[in-house]
Amino acid sequence: MKDIKIKENIYWVGGIDWDLKDFHGYSTRRGSTYNAYLIVDEKIVLVDTVKHYLFDEMLQRIKKIIDPSKIDYIVSNHVEMDHSGAIPMILDIARNATVITSPNGEKGLKKHFKCDNWNMKVVNTGDSINIGKRNLHFVLMQMVHWPDSMATYIPEEKLLLPNDAFGQHIATSERFDDEVDLGILKEEAAKYYANIVLPHSKQVNSALEAVSSLEVDMIAPSHGIIWRQNIGKIISLYKKWASNSTDEKAVIAYDTMWGATEKIAHAVKDVFEEKGITTVLANLKTSDISDIMTDVLDSKYICVGSPTLNNGMMPTVAAFLTLLKGLAPEGRKGLAFGSYGWGGQSIGQIEEMLKEACPEMFDSIKVQYVPTDEFIEDVKNIVKGGLR
Ligand code: FEO
C-alpha cells in the first residue's frame, strides 16, 4: 500500500471496493471507490470517510502518513453511509476531532449515529476555516444529491472536493483521469449522472454556477478517479446533462412474450436507423436497466414496448418505467407500443408513464396477437410521420 499524494501534504486515503457489483440497485460492474482525503497542515483534516467495511484500509493509509489520533477535523460533505459510515470508527481513535458538516448534515448524522456527544461544527455557504497555510471554504450543494450535500474548496490549492458530484463507480489502482482510458471514465461518469444525479439537474445547474467562480485545477470527487487533465470536459458534460440536452439518438426498451412486441421494436429501430439516428435496442429480459439509463441520458427519443400480461405490462417493463419516472429526464419524445391478445391495457399504461418524461409522443402502436407485414409497414409510417 503506497502513499497517494494528490497535492503537497494532501493525500488520497480512501478504500477500493473491487467487489461492489450493485449499489442500491445501480449495477456497478467495475466496482467503486470511496475517496477520503487527508490534509496535513497545522491542523490535520480528514475529508469524508469510507463505507464501514473499508475502515481498516482507510486507517492503514492514514497511519502511513500521520498518527490518526492527531486528526483535528473530519469534514462530512455528505451523510450517505458510503462516505460517513466510518466516522464513528475514526472518532474512536481521533477522540478530540470536530466533525464539520452542513446544517442538514448535522441533522442526518444525528439521526444515523445518535451522536449528541460528538464535537460538531455546522457550516454554510461562504463559511471558511483556517487550518494553517490553507483555508477550507464550504459550498452547500443541497440535493446534489441529498439535502445535506456540500463541497469543500481549498483556494490555496485550487482543489475542489465536491463529494458525489463528478464521481464515477469504478475501482482502479490508478487515481487520476490521465492514467485511465478517458472513454471508460466518460461512460462511467455518464452512468453515474444518469442513475444518481439526473433527478437533481436544476440543483446541479446552481452548483455549476457556484463552482464556475472558483479557480480549480483539480476536482477530487468521492467516487472513482480525480479529474486534473479533463476538468473542462467533465464540467461541459455536466452542463449538457444538467440542461437535459439530447442528441439525435433513440432508446427502444421492450419485453416480449411470443415475439410480436419484439417484431414491432425491430421495425421501429429500422426507421430510426434509416433516418441516421443512433439507436439502442434493449430487450429488458436481458439488458441492465442502469445501462439503459446511461443511453437515455443523451437520447431524444424513448420508445417502450410491452405485451399485455394480466391486464398490465410485463414486470421488466414496469421496473424500467419506475426507474425512469424516479430519474425524471425531461423534454424527450416518447413512443408506447405493444401487442395483446385481449384487453391491451399495457400500451395505455406505458403511454401514461412515459408522458412525464416526454411532453411529445408518437401515436401509440398496438397490435392484436401477431403483426402482419402490412401492420409493420404501418408501424414504420407512424414512426416516420412522427419524425417529420
Ligand atoms: Fe456516494 Fe450519495 O453517496
Side-chain angles (χ1 to χ4, degrees):
M1 196 179 278
K2 67 178 169 84
D3 291 359
I4 299 171
K5 188 189 281 186
I6 67 163
K7 294 256 184 186
E8 201 52 39
N9 288 321
I10 303 182
Y11 302 86
W12 178 89
V13 290
I16 304 178
D17 201 344
W18 298 97
D19 287 341
L20 186 83
K21 301 301 167 201
D22 180 287
F23 191 92
H24 53 54
Y26 165 168
S27 66
T28 50
R29 281 188 300 280
R30 290 192 171 103
S32 193
T33 68
Y34 314 109
N35 298 340
Y37 300 96
L38 188 73
I39 306 165
V40 182
D41 204 320
E42 284 167 28
K43 299 286 185 189
I44 297 177
V45 183
L46 178 65
V47 179
D48 291 315
T49 67
V50 293
K51 260 190 189 172
H52 66 97
Y53 55 75
L54 289 176
F55 171 68
D56 283 341
E57 181 177 334
M58 180 183 78
L59 187 63
Q60 293 317 310
R61 293 185 193 281
I62 295 172
K63 277 184 173 170
K64 284 183 71 84
I65 304 159
I66 48 121
D67 170 355
S69 70
K70 306 279 191 243
I71 292 172
D72 297 288
Y73 295 124
I74 299 165
V75 176
S76 174
N77 278 325
H78 180 25
V79 170
E80 198 165 7
M81 290 295 105
D82 47 335
H83 308 298
S84 68
I87 293 179
M89 300 173 205
I90 194 73
L91 278 177
D92 277 345
I93 297 169
R95 292 185 170 274
N96 296 317
T98 297
V99 177
I100 299 171
T101 189
S102 66
N104 285 323
E106 182 191 35
K107 287 182 201 155
L109 290 172
K110 284 188 171 170
K111 294 275 184 204
H112 275 90
F113 296 117
K114 323 293 180 224
C115 55
D116 285 332
N117 58 337
W118 289 5
N119 299 324
M120 292 180 94
K121 181 172 175 55
V122 174
V123 290
N124 276 289
T125 296
D127 290 347
S128 63
I129 292 177
N130 177 264
I131 57 167
K133 292 189 190 117
R134 303 170 180 85
N135 291 281
L136 307 179
H137 288 231
F138 303 99
V139 183
L140 301 194
M141 299 213 300
Q142 283 188 351
M143 297 319 295
V144 184
H145 68 125
W146 274 23
D148 49 82
S149 298
M150 170 174 97
T152 301
Y153 173 60
I154 306 167
E156 295 79 6
E157 303 288 352
K158 300 181 182 171
L159 172 61
L160 181 68
L161 305 164
N163 198 266
D164 280 337
F166 307 110
Q168 340 84 47
H169 281 312
I170 178 168
T172 51
S173 51
E174 292 71 29
R175 296 273 60 84
F176 294 101
D177 57 344
D178 44 287
E179 299 169 335
V180 180
D181 183 283
L182 189 58
I184 291 175
L185 290 183
K186 281 188 187 165
E187 179 191 322
E188 290 299 341
K191 185 169 181 179
Y192 193 89
Y193 193 98
N195 285 278
I196 302 270
V197 187
L198 183 56
H200 312 293
S201 288
K202 283 189 181 68
Q203 293 86 345
V204 172
N205 275 320
S206 310
L208 286 170
E209 216 168 287
V211 166
S212 68
S213 61
L214 308 176
E215 245 191 294
V216 174
D217 70 11
M218 188 178 285
I219 298 178
S222 57
H223 296 289
I225 61 81
I226 295 166
W227 302 97
R228 65 178 177 189
Q229 288 288 317
N230 298 285
I231 290 176
K233 280 191 188 122
I234 189 63
I235 287 182
S236 92
L237 283 170
Y238 259 60
K239 282 185 180 159
K240 177 184 176 192
W241 297 332
S243 67
N244 264 291
S245 141
T246 54
D247 298 331
E248 281 297 309
K249 178 173 169 182
V251 167
I252 304 164
Y254 71 96
D255 201 345
T256 198
M257 216 185 289
W258 295 105
T261 301
E262 184 161 60
K263 211 166 172 182
I264 300 171
H266 279 263
V268 172
K269 171 194 71 77
D270 288 348
V271 176
F272 282 120
E273 276 184 353
E274 277 162 25
K275 296 283 179 188
I277 294 168
T278 303
T279 308
V280 175
L281 186 69
N283 182 333
L284 288 161
K285 240 195 271 304
T286 50
S287 305
D288 179 311
I289 55 177
S290 319
D291 287 335
I292 300 174
M293 279 311 303
T294 314
D295 283 308
V296 163
L297 185 61
D298 56 2
S299 287
K300 184 169 170 185
Y301 306 102
I302 307 175
C303 310
V304 180
S306 174
T308 295
L309 174 73
N310 302 329
N311 300 330
M313 61 186 91
M314 300 276 279
T316 49
V317 182
F320 171 67
L321 286 171
T322 301
L323 182 66
L324 186 80
K325 181 183 162 72
L327 292 171
E330 292 175 6
R332 273 58 173 184
K333 182 159 182 170
L335 168 66
F337 64 93
S339 61
Y340 68 102
W342 58 101
Q345 296 92 333
S346 59
I347 296 93
Q349 291 168 5
I350 293 169
E351 199 176 294
E352 277 312 302
M353 286 188 78
L354 264 184
K355 272 181 183 165
E356 291 184 32
C358 306
E360 250 194 291
M361 295 287 294
F362 291 89
D363 291 341
S364 293
I365 297 167
K366 186 173 179 176
V367 68
Q368 189 170 26
Y369 291 116
V370 178
T372 59
D373 291 347
E374 291 75 29
F375 186 89
I376 289 298
E377 277 314 303
D378 289 346
V379 167
K380 291 184 176 182
N381 288 331
I382 287 171
V383 180
K384 276 181 201 158
L387 285 172
R388 273 190 212 113

